[in-house]
Amino acid sequence: MSAFVSRWRAAASPLQLSVYWHLALVLFFGAFYFFTDIYMTAIIASTCHHGNDTSNGTLGPSVESNQSRPEDGEAEWAADDPVCVWTELLPYGQTIFMVGMLLGSLVGGTISDRYGKRPTLLVSVYLCTVSGLVPALLPQPIVFLVIRCLLGVVSSCIISCSFSLAVEWTPASARLWPPAFLPCCFSTGMMVSALLAWLSPTVRWLHLSLGLPQVVCLPLYISIPESPSWLLVKQRKEVLERYCGNSTEDKRHLDLLLDSARSDMQKATESRRGHALSDLAHFRHPTILLRLFVMSYISTVTAMTYYGICLNIDLFGVNVYTAQFFSGLTEIPCLLVPLIRLGRRPIATLTLFLSGASCFLSLLLSRWNAPPTLVMSLALLGKLCILAAVFIFILYGIELFPTVVRQRCLSIVNLCFRVGTLINYLLNSNGQLSLAAMVAYSSGPIIGCGLCLLLPETSRSPLPDSVEDCNKQPLVAIGCGVCRKSNRTRKTKIPPAETDHTHTHQTHSVDVTNI
């Protein structure tokens, strides 16, 4: 892997490397506000005890904290924290945050398509940084809930714009890597935020420790470049010329990206002119309906399982900070997914099955009073597998739908992903990890594993432009050997293993969350 990274880094242009490390920093800090409510609950459970009973079930009896109980001199200071007065509203913070992410996924793509990904990303990052500091200065319940909703909206925009920029600045042969690299940066941010929360004595210090480092890094984001595909569509030739003038490597890299973008735009235009079926007729076709149903279901259960484990990891009987730290650590191996020499369908089926099986074993062991660390380890293994499945289905969905309706289908799939995050709060409405929730987290991916058998193998096929092209995709048995044999029989040219064919202009507004 190190040799591959060295060769790839030598081939990348300076501007491309600048895009990657800037976006890595954005995603690193973007993870700070995802689990603020969990950290606030843990801190309040250990500090807001002076004349304030917080063990009434609102915070949950299993919440543990590494913060020591304040001594007599510190107890009054902790009890004076205004947050201690409205602790009953904290459980609503995470729900409102997810509602904000749902709203952001609905409007983020439209805004970035119109005004550009760079302005949308910069405004979202600035709003996120400023909003994160507001609760430290104005610790009021209404302000807190409004800020959580706003943070959800801008977090969704940050994730979608970051992934889009990374993919559109990457050649087609290496586009498997950005969706694997950026979640690792997000996971690292989860680990660091757990450490900062553990060091924070009060809720106010928590907000300050999570927000102030981002203020220091704000000037660095000004140099993030715009998407070359968007600049080409909007005819911003002067900006492209300025990028090309930075260095010969930048010019060579941009020429390659722009040639690919022009080819995709021409192909999409010819596809729309050459097919008589309307968009509505495409949606009614059995092939499209089947794939849309399967992808929508899998998107819902993957979001439900991933966020269900992330948001309830502290309920497995392990310290909340330790649980969140290892929750981020277990996601790092997803960086190795692009090295696996399998097709889309085999690895998607395998990861879904392993995720469901791990959650099922975790459920059984929890009922047999197994050690909490073992139960949590199995749950985190399920979360790792479901995250790998999310990564695979990001690319799988792009390759399954025809060009003429691809973006509309992906929008429905992404909407189902956000709906899946909200279902968690129906399954765990009492603040405890219910039996129904664990059954859903284990059975949902396993059912999705069976539904994957209805999908074709797409990793060695060109992007479909019509329903007819979709029907030509091979529906083979699990494994790529039959697929490779079928391709040789047709005497088609086989690109290198795991070459990504997702270099279509229409992927620019795909919302790819993960995390």
Side-chain angles (χ1 to χ4, degrees):
M1 179 178 176
S2 59
F4 174 84
V5 173
S6 299
R7 291 195 302 268
W8 177 81
R9 183 175 181 181
S13 67
L15 195 57
Q16 183 184 8
L17 293 176
S18 175
V19 171
Y20 293 150
W21 82 262
H22 278 99
L23 295 180
L25 194 62
V26 169
L27 267 296
F28 172 81
F29 285 122
F32 280 21
Y33 294 124
F34 265 72
F35 308 107
T36 303
D37 308 271
I38 297 177
Y39 299 139
M40 289 179 63
T41 300
I43 293 174
I44 289 174
S46 64
T47 58
C48 298
H49 66 283
H50 182 70
N52 194 19
D53 183 15
T54 58
S55 59
N56 56 5
T58 301
L59 300 178
S62 63
V63 174
E64 299 179 7
S65 174
N66 267 10
Q67 279 100 342
S68 60
R69 294 285 185 176
E71 300 298 334
D72 294 339
E74 297 176 344
E76 294 181 2
W77 174 50
D80 288 338
D81 193 335
V83 180
C84 297
V85 181
W86 45 271
T87 54
E88 68 278 358
L89 294 179
L90 285 179
Y92 298 100
Q94 196 67 48
T95 305
I96 292 178
F97 180 82
M98 291 301 173
V99 172
M101 291 200 69
L102 174 62
L103 297 176
S105 65
L106 295 176
V107 302
T110 303
I111 295 175
S112 62
D113 287 347
R114 181 172 182 178
Y115 299 104
K117 295 176 179 58
R118 179 180 178 273
T120 305
L121 179 62
L122 291 179
V123 172
S124 299
V125 169
Y126 292 153
L127 284 176
C128 183
T129 303
V130 174
S131 301
L133 292 172
V134 170
L137 304 176
L138 296 173
Q140 301 299 323
I142 300 300
V143 174
F144 171 74
L145 296 179
V146 171
I147 289 299
R148 290 302 290 169
C149 183
L150 178 60
L151 284 173
V153 173
V154 297
S155 295
S156 180
C157 295
I158 288 173
I159 292 174
S160 61
C161 291
S162 297
F163 275 84
S164 297
L165 278 174
V167 169
E168 292 177 15
W169 273 98
T170 305
S173 59
R175 283 187 175 169
L176 282 169
W177 286 96
F181 169 68
L182 293 181
C184 289
C185 301
F186 185 90
S187 303
T188 306
M190 289 174 56
M191 299 164 60
V192 175
S193 65
L195 177 61
L196 292 175
W198 179 71
L199 295 173
S200 301
T202 64
V203 172
R204 177 168 295 176
W205 278 104
L206 171 67
H207 292 298
L208 291 176
S209 63
L210 296 180
L212 290 179
Q214 302 187 55
V215 175
V216 177
C217 296
L218 284 181
L220 300 176
Y221 303 138
I222 299 297
S223 58
I224 296 179
E226 182 57 90
S227 164
S229 300
W230 187 86
L231 293 173
L232 180 64
V233 172
K234 298 298 182 179
Q235 298 295 318
R236 303 288 180 85
K237 297 181 180 180
E238 67 282 356
V239 181
L240 290 172
E241 292 175 356
R242 187 172 73 249
Y243 290 164
C244 292
N246 291 338
S247 65
T248 56
E249 292 83 359
D250 289 334
K251 185 178 186 306
R252 175 182 56 82
H253 183 75
L254 276 170
D255 288 340
L256 178 64
L257 294 176
L258 293 175
D259 288 343
S260 177
R262 292 189 185 98
S263 176
D264 294 332
M265 292 170 60
Q266 182 179 2
K267 188 176 181 181
T269 302
E270 293 176 353
S271 175
R272 288 187 176 276
R273 293 176 179 175
H275 299 284
L277 285 178
S278 64
D279 291 350
L280 183 60
H282 278 89
F283 272 112
R284 292 176 177 175
H285 197 278
T287 299
I288 303 301
L289 289 176
L290 175 63
R291 296 184 181 187
L292 187 59
F293 167 75
V294 173
M295 291 298 297
S296 298
Y297 173 81
I298 292 177
S299 182
T300 302
V301 298
T302 52
M304 184 174 61
T305 303
Y306 176 78
Y307 283 104
I309 297 176
C310 281
L311 300 177
N312 298 295
I313 194 66
D314 58 305
L315 300 180
F316 287 94
V318 182
N319 177 273
V320 59
Y321 306 105
T322 303
Q324 287 297 332
F325 180 86
F326 283 101
S327 177
L329 183 63
T330 54
E331 296 182 2
I332 302 297
C334 281
L335 187 61
L336 304 177
V337 171
L339 299 177
I340 301 177
R341 303 296 182 177
L342 292 175
R344 303 282 188 262
R345 193 171 75 160
I347 190 173
T349 304
L350 179 63
T351 52
L352 286 174
F353 176 78
L354 291 178
S355 175
S358 299
C359 292
F360 181 71
L361 289 176
S362 176
L363 172 63
L364 291 181
L365 292 178
S366 66
R367 297 299 168 182
W368 290 340
N369 297 321
T373 53
L374 178 59
V375 176
M376 186 191 72
S377 299
L378 287 171
L380 291 181
L381 176 61
K383 186 171 77 75
L384 169 63
C385 294
I386 208 68
L387 182 63
V390 170
F391 160 61
I392 292 299
F393 279 104
I394 289 173
L395 301 175
Y396 207 175
I398 295 173
E399 297 167 344
L400 282 173
F401 299 109
T403 302
V404 290
V405 292
R406 179 176 297 124
Q407 201 57 45
R408 292 178 176 86
C409 292
L410 292 178
S411 297
I412 296 175
V413 173
N414 293 330
L415 181 62
C416 292
F417 186 91
R418 296 304 175 193
V419 171
T421 62
L422 296 176
I423 294 178
N424 284 299
Y425 301 100
L426 299 177
L427 297 175
N428 302 291
S429 58
N430 59 351
Q432 300 296 320
L433 192 60
S434 63
L435 176 63
M438 287 304 298
V439 171
Y441 299 157
S442 57
S443 61
I446 292 179
I447 295 175
C449 172
L451 292 177
C452 278
L453 301 178
L454 302 176
L455 300 177
E457 177 56 55
T458 62
S459 62
R460 296 176 181 273
S461 302
L463 287 176
D465 293 319
S466 64
V467 175
E468 290 76 12
D469 293 336
C470 291
N471 292 329
K472 294 178 183 178
Q473 291 175 327
L475 186 62
V476 296
I478 295 180
C480 291
V482 179
C483 184
R484 286 194 290 267
K485 180 177 179 181
S486 176
N487 286 338
R488 286 196 297 268
T489 303
R490 291 192 300 269
K491 297 182 180 181
T492 56
K493 183 179 179 181
I494 301 177
E498 288 302 317
T499 297
D500 186 22
H501 297 283
T502 61
H503 53 289
T504 174
H505 169 68
Q506 297 202 18
T507 64
H508 60 278
S509 61
V510 177
D511 180 16
V512 285
T513 60
N514 36 123
I515 343 229

